[in-house]
């Protein structure tokens, strides 16, 4: 075991005081260098031993990794409203209401047929634990993580993100269309049943 | 009256600059950036801080001794500010040039202590009281080595007049009434045969006229740190362990005054150090043969050039000392209270006494 030798004496005290001053002076002089906001894989990331370490955050920030898990985004045009994401979410922060369409709405960008409207597609970012499960189960890859992490709100209600593209009126219209179609179908069915009974 | 206003404005601007510089220097020494938002490079930060303080509610605690509480900040600031009255800013500009300036300064600054005690006692708060007691114990103790170090300088200069002391430390010595036939010799010793009366510059500063004053200067500087409650002697405030010391109950304008007094004290002790030991408003550049640097950088007394050069040298030397104070704050850890008293009574005071003895002998050699 190495014993720490206790040193004392006037000159030792003076030299240690001076070396302390030299240290702060060196930091003061090197303050003209500044850390740059480099991505962690950059060669320079660990090569900035001196200078100011602060980044002026809202103006500069270290880039986030590509596979980082931050705020969710739903590309509603590509969503087939399959409800898988809402089912897998461990904290139940996705609320989906679906309305069947009366005819085919269209195709998503990967060619899947869309048959459901989503009058409500809400994700409560305040509850979300950013586990990323919903993005892995999404069959059309429309639910993704974005690199945005700074989205604090004054009112917690604003943390609920609404992704639907239908206005309430449109949603109501679709519902009535569906109800009418179902009525017609029920009437048609009843008519067919009656015809079968007669025949 | 004019001198009062001018000094107050000058002091306020120096303090505002100092508060900004302190934050920036602190940040740079700790690899941070300091204020960046208000104005270019955050330079308006301390102005805005003062404006903010002025808008704050002025709270007087219900249980406080109202009169003492209200009077204390005014007394503290008045005591420090009164000290500036005898400071010679340029060769012919002294707010109040009195013959016993040094004595007056020491006396008036001691009033500060009463203000601190009033603030601590009047707040009716145990933390404020403890902070005030620590403050007072520290300031009263350190006045002794500081006073002895000043005494050494006064003995060498044989004067209590700051302006006379200033004139003695430069090439203009013979221009001061009463000093027409005085001579400055290198290190104050005539036997060396080097007459520095007309060389001036750094060779006639007190720390060169009598090199023992260099020791006195170090003692004074350490003691002045303690007197202005600066780190490493900031036990009364000790941000990391106490709330704020004696001014814990103060807010708004009253706090601003206390803050101002604290920074004014820093400026004042640095000014006194510069005047007594580092050549006052005299230029550091000596006359070398035909190149009369000292005269060129002194200007003409009584004209604008003399005022500008004098003020420039005095303030730049003061700022060097102030920078050193800041650097010390961010370099050294705080002393424990027993170490503080040990340093004062068992180290600085005996050395200061020895310095006085040597300075006396030196003065005998000088004539
Ligand atoms: S990231 Fe996890 S917690 Fe957040 S919505 Fe998706 S499944 Fe739910
Ligand atoms: S899993 Fe994807 S496609 Fe299915 S409802 Fe969620 S976001 Fe839409």
């Amino acid at each position: 075991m190495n014993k720490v030798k206790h040193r004392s004496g006037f000159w030792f005290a003076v030299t240690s005081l001076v070396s302390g001053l030299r240290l702060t002076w060196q930091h003061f002089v090197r303050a003209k260098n500044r850390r740059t906001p480099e991505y962690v894989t950059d060669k320079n990331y660990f090569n900035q031993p001196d200078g100011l370490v602060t980044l002026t955050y809202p103006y500069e920030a270290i880039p986030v990794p590509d596979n980082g898990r931050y705020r969710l985004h739903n590309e509603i045009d590509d969503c087939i409203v399959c409800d898988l994401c809402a089912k897998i979410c461990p904290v139940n922060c996705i609320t989906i209401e679906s309305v069947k369409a009366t005819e085919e709405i269209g195709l998503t960008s990967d060619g899947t047929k869309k048959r459901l409207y989503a009058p409500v597609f809400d994700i409560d970012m305040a509850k979300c634990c950013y586990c990323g499960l919903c993005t892995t189960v999404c069959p059309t890859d429309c639910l993704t993580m974005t690199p945005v992490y700074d989205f604090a709100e004054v009112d917690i209600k604003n943390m609920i993100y609404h992704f639907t593209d239908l206005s309430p009126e449109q949603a109501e219209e679709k519902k009535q269309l569906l109800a009418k179609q179902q009525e017609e179908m029920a009437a048609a069915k009843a008519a067919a049943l009656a015809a079968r009974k007669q025949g | 009256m004019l001198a009062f206003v001018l000094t107050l404005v000058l002091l306020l601007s120096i303090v505002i600059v100092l508060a900004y510089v302190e934050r920036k220097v602190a940040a740079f020494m700790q690899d941070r950036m300091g204020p960046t938002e208000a104005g270019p490079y955050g330079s308006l930060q301390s102005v805005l801080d003062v404006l903010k303080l002025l808008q704050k509610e002025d709270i007087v605690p219900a249980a406080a001794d109202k009169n003492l509480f209200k009077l204390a900040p005014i007394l503290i600031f008045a005591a420090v500010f009164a000290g500036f009255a005898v400071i010679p800013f340029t060769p012919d500009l002294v707010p109040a040039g009195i013959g016993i300036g040094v004595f007056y300064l020491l006396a008036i600054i001691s009033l500060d202590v009463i203000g601190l005690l009033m603030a601590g006692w009047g707040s009716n708060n145990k933390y404020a009281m403890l902070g005030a007691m620590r403050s007072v114990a520290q300031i009263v103790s350190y006045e002794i080595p500081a006073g002895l170090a000043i005494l050494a300088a006064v003995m060498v200069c044989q004067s209590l007049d700051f302006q006379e002391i200033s004139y003695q430390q430069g090439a203009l010595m013979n221009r001061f009434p009463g000093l027409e036939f005085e001579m400055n010799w290198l290190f104050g010793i005539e036997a060396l045969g080097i007459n520095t009366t007309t060389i001036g510059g750094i060779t006639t500063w007190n720390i060169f006229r009598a090199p023992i004053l260099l020791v006195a200067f170090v003692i004074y500087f350490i003691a002045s740190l303690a007197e202005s409650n600066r780190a490493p002697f900031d036990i009364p405030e000790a941000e990391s362990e106490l709330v704020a010391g004696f001014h814990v109950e103060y807010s708004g304008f009253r706090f601003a005054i206390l803050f101002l007094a604290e920074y004014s004290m820093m400026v004042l002790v640095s000014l006194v150090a510069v005047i007594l030991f580092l050549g006052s408003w005299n230029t550091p550049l000596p006359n070398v043969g035909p190149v009369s640097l000292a005269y060129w950088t002194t200007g003409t007394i009584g004209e604008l050039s003399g005022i500008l050069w004098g003020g420039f040298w005095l303030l730049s030397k003061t700022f060097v000392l102030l920078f050193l104070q800041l650097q010390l704050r961010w370099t050294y850890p705080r002393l424990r209270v027993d170490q503080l008293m040990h340093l004062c009574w068992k180290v600085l005071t005996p050395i200061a006494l020895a310095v006085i003895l040597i300075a006396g002998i030196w003065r005998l050699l000088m004539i």
Side-chain angles (χ1 to χ4, degrees):
Chain A
M1 211 176 78
N2 270 343
K3 255 200 191 157
V4 179
K5 206 170 145 238
H6 179 71
R7 294 214 279 156
S8 58
F10 181 72
W11 286 115
F12 177 69
V14 171
T15 46
S16 71
L17 287 176
V18 171
S19 66
L21 280 182
R22 196 185 310 129
L23 187 70
T24 37
W25 176 254
Q26 279 168 357
H27 278 270
F28 181 73
V29 173
R30 288 178 191 156
K32 57 180 185 293
N33 302 332
R34 275 200 56 201
R35 166 166 205 101
T36 46
E38 231 83 68
Y39 188 55
V40 65
T41 53
D42 196 283
K43 277 199 301 301
N44 242 344
Y45 188 83
F46 291 107
N47 278 342
Q48 307 180 33
D50 49 37
L52 310 179
V53 293
T54 318
L55 293 177
T56 49
Y57 165 62
Y59 312 116
E60 330 168 297
I62 296 181
V64 297
D66 288 339
N67 54 356
R69 303 202 302 262
Y70 302 103
R71 186 167 74 182
L72 287 163
H73 174 72
N74 185 11
E75 195 57 47
I76 195 73
D77 285 345
D78 282 353
C79 176
I80 58 172
V81 201
C82 66
D83 209 30
L84 281 178
C85 51
K87 288 205 177 75
I88 195 122
C89 178
V91 293
N92 284 339
C93 64
I94 306 184
T95 316
I96 301 179
E97 256 176 39
S98 55
V99 174
K100 262 194 211 147
T102 43
E103 72 273 5
E104 257 175 43
I105 309 166
L107 297 179
T108 64
S109 57
D110 67 349
T112 319
K113 282 187 185 125
K114 286 169 45 172
R115 293 170 191 276
L116 294 164
Y117 290 111
V120 176
F121 195 115
D122 291 353
I123 303 183
D124 189 341
M125 299 292 172
K127 280 191 199 157
C128 176
C129 65
Y130 303 96
C131 62
L133 287 176
C134 51
T135 60
T136 45
V137 298
C138 180
T140 58
D141 281 339
C142 65
L143 196 58
T144 48
M145 294 285 192
T146 56
V148 182
Y149 50 84
D150 187 357
F151 50 97
E153 296 281 355
V154 177
D155 187 350
I156 195 159
K157 289 201 193 89
N158 295 338
M159 287 299 276
I160 302 175
Y161 283 65
H162 309 287
F163 289 107
T164 180
D165 56 351
L166 296 181
S167 64
E169 294 79 38
Q170 283 172 320
E172 196 51 40
E173 189 194 318
K174 304 284 184 220
K175 267 185 208 158
Q176 273 160 10
L177 276 179
L178 178 66
K180 213 163 104 196
Q181 193 198 33
Q182 274 172 342
E183 248 169 51
E184 280 166 11
M185 273 165 68
K189 244 186 209 166
L193 202 64
R196 199 144 23 111
K197 269 190 185 150
Q198 277 175 357
Chain B
M1 196 59 212
L2 184 68
F4 179 86
V5 175
L6 281 182
T7 316
L8 192 60
V9 170
L10 184 73
L11 180 64
L12 281 178
S13 39
I14 291 182
V15 166
I16 282 189
V17 172
L18 186 62
Y20 168 70
V21 169
E22 162 140 48
R23 294 179 65 168
K24 272 294 192 194
V25 167
F28 288 164
M29 284 179 179
Q30 298 171 342
D31 288 347
R32 298 181 286 113
M33 293 190 65
T36 54
E37 289 296 302
Y41 298 98
S43 49
L44 293 179
Q45 186 68 47
S46 39
V47 180
L48 296 179
D49 280 349
V50 171
L51 287 183
K52 184 202 77 174
L53 272 182
L54 294 187
Q55 292 170 16
K56 292 261 166 174
E57 186 186 352
D58 176 23
I59 300 171
V60 179
D65 185 328
K66 305 264 179 339
N67 297 330
L68 284 187
F69 188 84
K70 286 180 181 166
L71 195 59
I74 301 169
L75 184 72
I76 292 175
F77 179 68
V80 178
F81 185 61
F84 281 88
V86 288
I87 299 293
F89 289 103
T90 65
D92 47 9
L93 192 77
V94 194
I98 49 174
I100 51 160
V102 179
F103 179 66
Y104 162 83
L105 186 92
L106 288 179
I108 200 89
I109 285 187
S110 307
L111 264 186
D112 192 34
V113 173
I114 298 177
L116 296 185
L117 211 49
M118 276 164 66
W121 185 271
S123 300
N124 196 9
N125 172 322
K126 56 190 169 203
Y127 300 112
M129 189 64 217
L130 283 175
M133 304 245 269
R134 285 168 152 210
S135 239
V136 170
Q138 175 175 328
I139 293 179
V140 168
S141 311
Y142 273 87
E143 250 166 32
I144 291 166
L148 290 177
I150 290 178
L151 197 59
V154 167
M155 281 172 71
V156 167
C157 293
Q158 294 288 305
S159 168
L160 281 171
D161 183 354
F162 275 116
Q163 191 64 291
E164 185 177 344
I165 295 175
S166 302
Y167 268 95
Q168 284 185 6
Q169 302 180 59
L172 301 173
M173 175 158 89
N174 296 346
R175 303 277 291 274
F176 191 80
L179 295 177
E180 284 88 351
F181 304 107
E182 292 281 318
M183 295 270 208
N184 267 327
W185 303 91
L186 189 64
F187 300 138
I189 300 178
E190 192 172 355
L192 287 176
I194 306 175
N195 188 337
T196 57
T197 315
T198 52
I199 294 181
I202 196 167
T203 59
T204 45
W205 288 10
N206 261 346
I207 55 169
F208 275 87
R209 285 171 78 210
I212 189 63
L213 287 185
L214 193 57
V215 184
F217 168 64
V218 173
I219 294 174
Y220 174 78
F221 187 68
I222 296 175
S224 71
L225 285 180
E227 279 205 57
S228 42
N229 287 341
R230 292 292 297 182
F233 305 104
D234 57 346
I235 296 177
E237 276 168 50
E239 286 133 342
S240 42
E241 48 197 68
L242 301 181
V243 195
F246 68 89
H247 52 52
V248 63
E249 292 287 359
Y250 283 88
S251 62
F253 184 64
R254 290 177 215 281
F255 178 76
I257 296 276
L258 289 173
F259 190 77
L260 178 66
E262 200 174 309
Y263 276 78
S264 313
M265 189 72 170
M266 281 172 70
V267 177
L268 184 63
V269 293
S270 301
L271 274 173
V272 171
V274 167
I275 291 170
L276 289 181
F277 301 103
L278 301 181
S280 193
W281 36 255
N282 287 298
T283 162
L285 305 171
N287 289 327
V288 187
V291 192
S292 42
L293 285 175
Y295 291 135
W296 295 340
T297 53
T298 302
T300 323
I301 292 185
E303 284 178 20
L304 191 64
S305 64
I307 292 179
L308 289 183
W309 276 113
F312 168 73
W313 289 120
L314 185 74
L315 287 184
S316 45
K317 284 184 230 176
T318 308
F319 269 107
V320 169
L321 280 192
L322 286 172
F323 180 85
L324 193 60
Q325 287 195 358
L326 300 186
Q327 193 184 356
L328 291 179
R329 172 167 182 190
W330 302 111
T331 306
Y332 299 138
R334 181 158 51 241
L335 267 69
R336 234 173 29 220
V337 74
D338 58 319
Q339 294 169 332
L340 182 93
M341 290 300 163
H342 173 93
L343 180 68
C344 175
W345 293 106
K346 296 192 188 166
V347 181
L348 292 184
T349 308
I351 298 180
L353 285 172
V355 165
I356 289 213
L357 182 68
I358 301 174
I361 298 173
W362 205 284
R363 178 67 205 179
L364 290 180
L365 296 176
M366 281 169 78
I367 41 172

